Amino acid sequence: MSMAMRMMKGGPSLAGSFARLCAVAGPVSGRYSTAAAATTSASTTTVTKIVTQPAVHGTVIAHGDPTFLESVDIYFDKAAAIASTTPDILAQIKACNNILKVQFPLKCANGTVELIEAYRAQHSHHRLPVKGGIRMAPNVDADETMALAALMTFKCAVVDVPFGGAKGGIKIDPTKYSANEKEAIIRRYTSELVRKNFIGPSIDVPAPDYGTGPQEMAWIKDTFEHLQPNDINGAACVTGKPLEEGGIDGRQEATGLGVFFCLREFLNDEALVARIGLTTGIKGKSFIVQGFGNVGRHTIDSIYGAGGKITAIAELDGGLVAESTEGIDIPALKAYHKKKGTITGFPGAKTVKFAPAILELPCDVLIPAALETQIHSGNAGNIKAKIVAEAANGPVTPLAETILEDNDVVILPDLLLNAGGVTVSYFEWLKNLNHIHFGRMSRRMEERGKTVLIDALENEFGNGHRISAEVRSQVVKGNTEVDFVWSGLEETMLMSWENVKRTAEERKCNFRTAAYLIAIERIAACYRVSGIFP
């Protein structure tokens, strides 16, 4: 078996793929069988086979697919089966440490009172603080929150960011609430986290996720600082904030840019791309992206800037398919989206109402950048991409992964590709703890030193010639905060990719299993060294 694909001819049957999945997961977890009815006991969960269309958010479709939380456990168990870590430490790594459920009233603008349900899961405390976003969506529940928290634990470990994993969720549709109502919900949720000791710069640091953004993070920061006025590091209680509130330059682009860095490295590896019949480089390759939110949009920007062709984009309310062989005009689309608030109806491409069908169109690279479980056993056999790059959390179910790999599709896993956001959140947290932005004490010093060097070179070797003003300004420019951020992000993603690639080669496994193996070994090392308290 090659690194990330099984070189088998012909399309796999669903039953055969499911049997292979159970063969992998069964010995470790004992949780899955091919039975058609679902039952739950102390030790066994079997999967109900039903056929439905993909949900808008959250709950898995099925065709035999496990739930999102079960999928994370399957992926973990697959790596655990070949890890050198002992079973007792594996059990500790896998378990979710804390899960908080809160319910509180909201007085709505129309005078009615609504009960709001919300969660915060802290998966692992092997490193502190724990870290993870807060999402607002109607299908938020405890299992989804725990699954996302687990992914955060492993994601941080893969890119060597010193956080444990956490996640939060508020069970509402944010589009149905006014700005004042959302502010009230966020502030009350934050106050509940403060009361339960589930937030703080050294305890638990939230960030944006689906349905939230910089504004919500600003409300969290302000609420925390009002409730904890003596905490001098209060600004570090949350990341993803606006720049005016202690955010960091480059955070908005971070996750999408991290996806791009890893894709670029994979596509520049001649040996890897040759195995799937591609040439090197992003330029000229065709890309389909699911999602035009923060992650998808910035991924598209980077790919388009590098010469890639965006041939289709899928969104919640529909999608676009390019009519030109050069792909979609992204600058024109962004201007249209800013004006209309949607990508549908864009005159430079064909609008498709049933967006999930877009995932099945031919392309070189498919990038799911929306929500979990979007590629499942019901549509995996129809995927025509040669690479699936997981920009979202958990977009491919285990059974879909088996089907894709049987069809020689390479999967670049979410644990690595999606880690750009938490990497730059780490930089923001450090900035807040240090109470100074990056570059403030070095930029002018760098510029003066470079100016002296250029002047000396011109005087000594220039023979009367001078470097042009344009070139001089580029050479002597000192590093700004965003320069530090993007350099640190690129270093993190490239080193992590090399580690994942090397582990996959050495252990003869796919990239996802390699990423989980790296995470498991790093977390296990923490537990072995620190011991057990008390």
Side-chain angles (χ1 to χ4, degrees):
M1 184 178 71
S2 63
M3 236 186 301
M5 51 216 121
R6 294 186 175 94
M7 305 304 290
M8 297 173 64
K9 303 300 180 183
S13 69
L14 182 63
S17 297
F18 193 84
R20 284 190 295 277
L21 174 64
C22 293
V24 171
V28 181
S29 64
R31 299 182 66 184
Y32 296 96
S33 77
T34 54
T39 60
T40 303
S41 69
S43 60
T44 304
T45 301
T46 58
V47 180
T48 303
K49 289 193 176 183
I50 57 176
V51 179
T52 60
Q53 292 297 339
V56 171
H57 172 83
T59 314
V60 174
I61 348 93
H63 292 281
D65 292 271
T67 67
F68 184 26
L69 179 57
E70 291 167 340
S71 293
V72 174
D73 285 346
I74 288 174
Y75 289 138
F76 177 90
D77 290 343
K78 185 177 179 181
I82 59 173
S84 59
T85 308
T86 57
D88 54 339
I89 293 182
L90 287 172
Q92 176 63 39
I93 295 171
K94 184 177 180 179
C96 182
N97 288 2
N98 296 331
I99 175 74
L100 172 69
K101 176 182 178 181
V102 297
Q103 291 179 303
F104 52 84
L106 169 70
K107 188 172 184 180
C108 301
N110 62 9
T112 61
V113 175
E114 181 179 339
L115 189 64
I116 304 296
E117 180 179 312
Y119 299 88
R120 186 70 179 173
Q122 297 177 339
H123 176 263
S124 175
H125 295 98
H126 74 283
R127 291 276 188 246
L128 288 174
V130 294
K131 189 85 181 70
I134 295 171
R135 61 174 50 186
M136 292 195 294
N139 289 359
V140 162
D141 60 24
D143 279 1
E144 179 196 63
T145 307
M146 288 190 291
L148 291 165
L151 286 177
M152 283 301 302
T153 292
F154 306 134
K155 190 186 305 182
C156 290
V158 166
V159 295
D160 201 18
V161 168
F163 294 139
K167 208 72 175 188
I170 302 173
K171 192 174 183 177
I172 65 167
D173 181 349
T175 64
K176 296 181 179 178
Y177 293 81
S178 69
N180 288 338
E181 288 171 334
K182 285 192 286 187
E183 180 178 358
I185 291 169
I186 288 290
R187 288 185 180 277
R188 178 60 185 269
Y189 175 70
T190 305
S191 72
E192 294 292 337
L193 296 182
V194 171
R195 289 177 57 202
K196 305 297 193 303
N197 206 31
F198 263 67
I199 187 172
S202 62
I203 300 169
D204 188 336
V205 180
D209 199 88
Y210 182 82
T212 62
Q215 179 59 74
E216 286 78 14
M217 302 307 106
W219 290 331
I220 291 173
K221 169 184 175 287
D222 184 68
T223 305
F224 180 86
E225 289 182 328
H226 274 84
L227 296 175
Q228 302 287 333
N230 295 323
D231 191 339
I232 193 172
N233 295 318
C237 75
V238 64
T239 60
K241 303 180 291 293
L243 280 172
E244 301 84 354
E245 291 293 315
I248 195 166
D249 201 358
R251 175 61 181 86
Q252 286 288 326
E253 304 92 334
T255 306
L257 193 55
V259 173
F260 170 77
F261 284 146
C262 289
L263 258 177
R264 184 192 67 190
E265 293 306 299
F266 178 87
L267 289 171
N268 283 340
D269 190 311
E270 190 172 351
L272 290 180
V273 297
R275 296 178 190 177
I276 52 176
L278 292 177
T279 56
T280 56
I282 284 178
K283 188 174 182 179
K285 302 290 189 305
S286 58
F287 296 80
I288 292 176
V289 181
Q290 182 196 35
F292 200 67
N294 183 57
V295 178
R297 189 169 62 253
H298 290 298
T299 302
I300 287 170
D301 282 344
S302 296
I303 290 170
Y304 185 83
K309 297 187 291 185
I310 308 299
T311 56
I313 301 172
E315 258 286 87
L316 189 63
D317 58 345
L320 299 175
V321 177
E323 296 180 313
S324 165
T325 56
E326 296 305 309
I328 298 170
D329 184 340
I330 298 305
L333 175 61
K334 289 169 67 179
Y336 177 88
H337 181 266
K338 184 176 181 179
K339 182 178 179 181
K340 300 288 188 179
T342 180
I343 64 171
T344 59
F346 175 61
K350 178 184 177 182
T351 295
V352 176
K353 289 298 182 183
F354 185 61
I358 290 176
L359 305 185
E360 301 174 11
L361 296 175
C363 64
D364 294 319
V365 184
L366 172 61
I367 305 175
L371 293 166
E372 62 269 12
T373 67
Q374 297 300 296
I375 301 176
H376 48 87
S377 60
N379 64 4
N382 300 325
I383 299 298
K384 299 175 183 66
K386 295 183 178 181
I387 302 165
V388 173
E390 296 182 335
N393 288 308
V396 178
T397 68
L399 185 50
E401 179 179 78
T402 302
I403 294 170
L404 290 171
E405 291 189 334
D406 283 346
N407 288 335
D408 300 337
V409 178
V410 174
I411 301 172
L412 302 180
D414 52 352
L415 286 195
L416 176 59
L417 264 68
N418 185 258
V422 73
T423 299
V424 175
S425 279
Y426 171 48
F427 301 157
E428 181 179 336
W429 181 71
L430 291 174
K431 172 186 177 180
N432 296 154
L433 293 179
N434 285 283
H435 300 269
I436 188 169
H437 66 74
F438 295 107
R440 183 168 183 174
M441 297 182 68
S442 61
R443 181 182 176 186
R444 302 300 173 184
M445 181 173 62
E446 291 173 2
E447 290 180 351
R448 283 195 294 271
K450 292 175 182 178
T451 299
V452 169
L453 176 62
I454 293 296
D455 289 344
L457 290 172
E458 287 179 337
N459 293 332
E460 187 72 22
F461 305 108
N463 294 323
H465 297 288
R466 292 287 183 258
I467 296 173
S468 70
E470 181 181 0
V471 172
R472 174 181 278 266
S473 67
Q474 291 175 353
V475 172
V476 304
K477 176 183 174 293
N479 290 311
T480 62
E481 180 166 89
V482 73
D483 294 324
F484 281 106
V485 166
W486 286 355
S487 175
L489 173 62
E490 185 172 14
E491 170 69 8
T492 300
M493 300 308 293
L494 267 57
M495 294 299 293
S496 300
W497 160 249
E498 288 297 327
N499 200 10
V500 168
K501 183 176 73 169
R502 182 175 60 254
T503 301
E505 291 171 348
E506 292 173 353
R507 304 302 293 272
K508 308 299 181 186
C509 61
N510 65 20
F511 295 129
R512 188 192 313 282
T513 302
Y516 270 91
L517 271 171
I518 292 166
I520 288 171
E521 295 297 344
R522 284 178 172 167
I523 298 168
C526 291
Y527 284 125
R528 283 195 297 268
V529 173
S530 62
I532 297 174
F533 176 84

